[in-house]
Amino acid sequence: MDLQMNGLRVLVTAGANGIGRATARAFAAEGARVHICDVDLAALDAMAKSDSGMTQSVCDVSDRDSVARLFDEVTKTLGGLDCLVNNAGIAGPTGRVDEITVEDWDRCIAVDLTGQFNCARLAVPMLKASKNASMVNLSSQAGKHGFPLRSPYAAAKWGVIGFTKALSAELGEFGIRVNAICPGLVDGPRIQSVIANKARSMNVSHEEMTERMFAGVSIKEFVNPNDIAKQIVFLASPFARTISGQEVSVCGDTRMLS
Ligand code: NAD
């Protein structure tokens, strides 16, 4: 299927690893022009070698000066913007609300929620000039369910859904679609460290914790990052021109998080 996105100008935050990297590559495979940013210099260097068609910036999405520099660079490299993928996010601390530090709470909200605001506010004036404008914000199943021992992450990801729905309602008149993606347990090192932290916190084995995490999931396999990437690319394509304000789950039917 030709998604008709040749030349689409796309910014993927945190595009040097994991879901962001898979998404950047999926856009590029459809003929889009892709700019990525990240804080991981080694991963950016690796991407410069392996994916030399993409342009890139070093940017911490929680730092407004850094984000301002990013958008200056995007203006230079892409000359405009048709799609912002607000992907940057950290797992945040694992622990009960009275155990986590205020610094860990603040950092998780700053990256996972305020980071999306920092990018969206500079992207919107550029998106208004596009004929096929969209924004895709990475939420999580933790943005749809309670997630014990991960309150900052869950609060940020529920916030992302509220942010997405508000932007969809306010930007529809400018032809800008805004959707959220809610992944479940995604294959990769990040989920293994999440499981390890929870196992330690609950004093159970890694295997036992993995089993508990899948207890409320109908399709008991890790989600492939490429499957998330394909959903994001579709939402940015002209075929999704009437899809906005949605929280799209790619999660094996997650009914509960443990
Ligand atoms: P990952 O840990 O594999 O990659 C995250 C990337 O973000 C890394 O390249 C890291 O350097 C970058 N990053 C971290 N802080 C940053 C900052 N302040 N500014 C810019 N870049 C920063 O994570 P992932 O699994 O690919 O997750 C991507 C998104 O998907 C996140 O928003 C995450 O919350 C969400 N998500 C992931 C899962 C999962 O199971 N992996 C599930 C649900 C939602």
Side-chain angles (χ1 to χ4, degrees):
M1 181 176 177
D2 176 7
L3 288 174
Q4 297 179 11
M5 47 205 328
N6 212 8
L8 197 87
R9 297 158 301 177
V10 183
L11 168 60
V12 181
T13 69
N17 287 299
I19 294 169
R21 180 174 57 198
T23 302
R25 286 176 173 165
F27 272 113
E30 292 296 327
R33 292 170 57 206
V34 182
H35 190 97
I36 59 169
C37 76
D38 211 290
V39 288
D40 183 339
L41 301 184
L44 280 174
D45 275 353
M47 283 295 277
K49 292 192 184 85
S50 61
D51 299 71
S52 56
M54 292 178 201
T55 49
Q56 56 167 251
S57 301
V58 178
C59 173
D60 176 345
V61 297
S62 71
D63 175 341
R64 294 205 175 100
D65 291 338
S66 179
V67 173
R69 282 194 296 277
L70 166 67
F71 278 82
D72 283 346
E73 286 165 22
V74 167
T75 303
K76 283 190 196 112
T77 57
L78 300 183
L81 192 66
D82 302 300
C83 178
L84 166 66
V85 182
N86 260 325
N87 168 68
I90 56 172
T94 302
R96 294 181 195 282
V97 72
D98 53 342
E99 294 167 352
I100 60 175
T101 69
V102 291
E103 291 79 12
D104 280 347
W105 172 278
D106 287 349
R107 182 71 190 150
C108 188
I109 302 295
V111 175
D112 292 11
L113 182 56
T114 310
Q116 295 201 4
F117 162 72
N118 293 341
C119 293
R121 62 188 284 277
L122 298 186
V124 163
M126 297 171 84
L127 294 176
K128 280 181 178 170
S130 163
K131 299 233 170 345
N132 174 26
S134 66
M135 190 186 306
V136 181
N137 299 329
L138 267 291
S139 178
S140 167
Q141 287 305 301
K144 294 186 132 184
H145 305 280
F147 199 3
L149 307 182
R150 295 283 302 281
S151 60
Y153 185 74
K157 293 300 187 181
W158 278 75
V160 166
I161 291 182
F163 184 57
T164 300
K165 286 186 177 288
L167 291 198
S168 172
E170 87 185 34
L171 297 174
E173 66 176 293
F174 302 104
I176 303 172
R177 315 185 299 281
V178 188
N179 291 292
I181 290 274
C182 300
L185 304 170
V186 179
D187 208 5
R190 178 193 178 109
I191 199 67
Q192 293 306 329
S193 99
V194 164
I195 292 170
N197 288 339
K198 288 204 90 166
R200 208 171 305 117
S201 199
M202 296 171 80
N203 206 19
V204 298
S205 69
H206 197 89
E207 293 66 33
E208 168 68 17
M209 195 63 237
T210 306
E211 210 168 289
R212 286 190 195 183
M213 300 271 281
F214 275 112
V217 183
S218 301
I219 298 170
K220 297 187 190 305
E221 62 180 79
F222 288 107
V223 178
N224 188 312
N226 294 323
D227 296 345
I228 312 269
K230 288 195 177 82
Q231 282 298 317
I232 294 172
V233 169
F234 180 78
L235 288 172
S237 78
F239 296 101
R241 70 174 70 81
T242 54
I243 302 176
S244 192
Q246 303 305 302
E247 65 264 43
V248 179
S249 289
V250 185
C251 69
D253 183 26
T254 301
R255 293 165 278 106
M256 182 188 82
L257 290 173
S258 307

